[in-house]
Structure formats: structure tokens, C-alpha cells
Amino acid sequence: MSYVRPEIAAMQGYVPGEQPPPGPFIKLNTNENPYPPSPRAIAAIQAALTAGLQTYPDPLATSFRNKAADLLGIAPDWILCGNGSDELLTMAIRTLVGPGQTMCYPAPSYSLYRTLAEIQGARVREVAYAADWSLPNLRVPEDDSPRLVIVANPNSPSGTCVPRETVRQWARDCPCPLLVDEAYVDFADDDCLSLVREFDKVLVTRSLSKSYALAGLRFGYVVGAPDLLQQMMKVKDSYNCDRLAIAGATAAITDLEWLRQAKTRILATRQRMRGQLMELGFQVPVSQANFLWCTRSDRPVQPLYAALKDQRILVRYMHYPNWGDGLRISVGTDEQVDTCLDRLRTLLNENHTCHA
Ligand SMILES: *Cc1c(COP(=O)(O)O)cnc(C)c1O
């Protein structure tokens, strides 16, 4: 396709998590929240629908910014909203990384970072996590002079967190802006929000998709110094968040009690699930997110993924060149998780018998 920019023709394109075929499926592959969202969010969306969709939405989602600013203890101009936090990643890269320039991130991590860099015609420098998913220092070769460093914290697929103090050191040593992708932070013990006050080059992105159970609504926000956000605003679509999303998101973040209950349930299931997966012989790092990264050294896990899928249970199989592979399993309801664990137990026993 000679009409197409060479960068686009050469790239593979992001592959979103598989959507199950029709029929009942237990879907544990894209880290959605298994519980319905806050009833207040639904009511606010219905009210917005009744009020009408014939006029454009507020380009800045002011109602959300004001509420979020109150909750986070910052001024509203430190917040910029997006059509999912994926859009905020796009805005940050468009604003900060030019064609041919370098973007850097610890890997394995969220595969969208590479896709967005490729669209921009930027170069990617991946810095490998240690085998235990620690990363004491994030050294980027000087000659690369990166324009942006992105860290998913908690990370995917590992679910692990780098301590805030380590992120602070990276921010201090880093010659360029540092974006902390906190899509899963509501399931974690700590966050890096305070770093945006300390450093005018730190950005923190958040999502309503996972912890607030609103993946279908598409809403996220970034927190950062107003000067930087004003530049990012120039590259966004004028009406990037629609009326329904703004209404639903604004109601959702103020329902603190709903979030607390959803978090309590998911964390309890996560802990039980991790123990049982380890009993089944998986290695599972301690997770600060709503999923678990399951690997094993005694047998390949790809056949387990395939066998679960045949039985209408979808988990995410991930393979990283020079790193290894594993299953990333979302924390569903207790019932979903128990079904998945039962099937895994049977599959592992069956195979054991075959080999004997
Ligand atoms: C799910 C996810 C996002 C994107 O979330 P949206 O708000 O739905 O766009 C961003 N980063 C990571 C690491 C994620 O897993």
C-alpha cells in the first residue's frame, strides 16, 4: 500500500484482548470488574440521556474535573480528561515525542505503548525488568536522550508495583517527563500522585475502566502540572469525552462507598485465588492489581489456555520473546474464579495421568 505512511504500513497494530464468541463465557482475560458499576453512575447516565444529546458535550469535562479535584485535593486545572486513559497516553506521546525520537519503558508491560510510539514514528527503548519484576534503577543510555518514560504501576502482566520511592528516584534522574500509568492503582497499597506536585514533569494517568467497572463507558484522566496539561490539550479531539461518559464518570468517582466495597471483594478473591494457583504449581507474584500472572517451569502453559477456552473460560495467554510466557487471569467473582480453578485442577491432573 504505497499510499500509506511507511511507519503505519510497517507496524502490526495493537491487538486488543480477545472478545469471546457468542454464548455463555467466563471472561477473565481483560481485567474488567466482574461487578456492575455504581447505581449512581447508571442513574446519572440515564439522566444525561433524558436531558438530550443534541448539543455538544463540555470539551473539558468540567463537572468531572471539579469533583475529582476535590477528592484528590488539587486544583481542577491539574486534571485533563480522556476517552479512556488510552487516549491520554496518545495525547502525551503526541505532545512529547517527535518522529525519530525515543520513548522508553520498563518491559514486559502494556503492549499499547509500543503501538502508540510506532504510530508516532518514534523509536522504542525497552528496559528489562529483573526476573522478580524489580527494577532498582531505570538507566536509559545517554545517546538515546528519551523524550518520555512510561511506567505502568501496578504493572501488567505482572500485577507488581514498584515502590513510590523508586519512582521518585527515576523522576529525579530522568532527563524527560515520566508518565506513571495508574490504571490499576485502586487495587494497590500506594500510589504516586504526590509526585506530580514534586516534579512538574511527572504525569499520572488513571482509568475508570477497571476499578469503577466502567470499561464500556471509556473514561480516564491524567494529573499533572497545568503548563504541561495545557500543551497536551492542544492535541486532543475537541469533544473527546461524550455527555454520557462525563455524567457517568462524575457520579462514579463520588461514590466512595461503592469503590470501597468493590475493592474489598476483589482483594479477598485475589488473595484466595493466588493461594490456590500456587497450590496447583503456578508461580504467582504478589499482585497489587485485579489480575494474577501465572507461570510455570515444569510444563508449557499455552495448552492450558487453549483447553480452558474450549471449556468456555477465557484467560489471557502472553508470550514475550527472550522473557517467557504465562497466563494472566483476571480476578472475577468468587464463582467464576472457582470454576476456573476447578477446570485447571482437572486439566493438570489429566495431563499428569497421561505422562505416567
Ligand atoms: C486497561 C489499561 C489501560 C487503559 O485503560 P482505559 O482507561 O480503558 O483506556 C491503560 N494502561 C494499562 C496498563 C491498562 O491495563
Side-chain angles (χ1 to χ4, degrees):
M1 282 296 280
S2 57
Y3 311 123
V4 172
R5 284 171 52 210
E7 297 89 330
I8 305 301
M11 67 183 274
Q12 222 206 331
Y14 180 72
V15 185
E18 200 176 350
Q19 291 303 317
F25 243 92
I26 294 181
K27 194 170 177 302
L28 301 175
N29 69 327
T30 49
N31 305 337
E32 288 139 329
N33 195 315
Y35 301 109
S38 158
R40 288 200 214 161
I42 305 300
I45 293 166
Q46 275 161 348
L49 197 51
T50 309
L53 295 179
Q54 55 276 64
T55 51
Y56 283 108
D58 173 0
L60 290 177
T62 309
S63 63
F64 180 91
R65 286 170 104 200
N66 289 340
K67 283 277 181 347
D70 275 353
L71 290 166
L72 301 174
I74 48 175
D77 60 351
W78 287 68
I79 299 172
L80 180 60
C81 301
N83 184 26
S85 61
D86 285 350
E87 194 204 11
L88 300 160
L89 297 171
T90 302
M91 287 186 218
I93 292 170
R94 278 198 198 168
T95 306
L96 299 169
V97 193
Q101 294 183 326
T102 301
M103 189 182 105
C104 169
Y105 54 88
S109 191
Y110 188 32
S111 62
L112 184 71
Y113 303 152
R114 173 176 289 277
T115 307
L116 296 179
E118 286 174 348
I119 294 172
Q120 187 69 352
R123 294 191 301 156
V124 162
R125 162 74 69 170
E126 295 187 350
V127 180
Y129 275 107
D132 66 353
W133 297 97
S134 67
L135 192 65
N137 46 27
L138 184 69
R139 289 257 168 271
V140 186
E142 297 269 311
D143 51 335
D144 272 347
S145 58
R147 304 285 304 173
L148 173 64
V149 172
I150 303 184
V151 184
N153 209 36
N155 187 39
S156 171
S158 59
T160 52
C161 245
V162 170
R164 187 194 333 180
E165 191 45 42
T166 309
V167 180
R168 175 184 282 119
Q169 278 162 28
W170 295 346
R172 208 188 44 213
D173 299 345
C174 183
C176 64
L178 173 72
L179 185 152
V180 188
D181 177 346
E182 293 195 339
Y184 297 104
V185 80
D186 292 321
F187 305 108
D189 298 335
D190 198 8
D191 64 72
C192 288
L193 196 66
S194 65
L195 300 184
V196 301
R197 286 179 179 283
E198 235 175 289
F199 302 93
D200 63 3
K201 59 179 182 172
V202 170
L203 295 166
V204 170
T205 57
R206 300 252 172 110
S207 170
L208 272 74
S209 297
K210 288 29 185 272
S211 51
Y212 290 90
L214 290 170
L217 195 66
R218 311 306 302 132
F219 201 92
Y221 61 97
V222 59
V223 183
D227 286 349
L228 189 46
L229 297 194
Q230 263 167 29
Q231 299 300 318
M232 285 172 62
M233 228 175 269
K234 294 179 187 170
V235 308
K236 83 175 184 70
D237 286 349
S238 329
Y239 303 109
N240 58 331
C241 302
D242 66 67
R243 281 184 175 279
L244 304 184
I246 296 169
T250 306
I253 52 150
T254 48
D255 197 344
L256 301 177
E257 182 53 22
W258 181 92
L259 182 67
R260 197 190 58 75
Q261 282 183 24
K263 178 179 174 174
T264 305
R265 279 203 271 189
I266 288 170
L267 264 51
T269 311
R270 178 178 78 189
Q271 189 180 358
R272 195 170 63 79
M273 187 176 160
R274 177 166 180 260
Q276 296 194 21
L277 284 161
M278 293 197 302
E279 274 171 30
L280 290 176
F282 290 96
Q283 282 93 53
V284 189
V286 173
S287 170
Q288 300 264 320
N290 64 335
F291 55 85
L292 292 163
W293 175 239
C294 314
T295 60
R296 49 199 306 151
S297 39
D298 60 335
R299 53 176 294 154
V301 296
Q302 204 277 341
L304 293 175
Y305 154 80
L308 284 175
K309 191 175 165 185
D310 283 345
Q311 300 180 39
R312 310 191 73 81
I313 298 173
L314 211 51
V315 302
R316 189 84 175 253
Y317 171 72
M318 305 279 211
H319 172 79
Y320 301 101
N322 308 321
W323 183 269
D325 64 354
L327 303 179
R328 194 192 66 187
I329 310 181
S330 308
V331 179
T333 62
D334 283 309
E335 195 189 352
Q336 290 174 325
V337 164
D338 286 339
T339 307
C340 178
L341 289 165
D342 282 349
R343 301 286 162 80
L344 275 173
R345 195 169 293 120
T346 310
L347 288 167
L348 290 163
N349 284 336
E350 276 170 9
N351 274 319
H352 193 263
T353 323
C354 288
H355 289 303

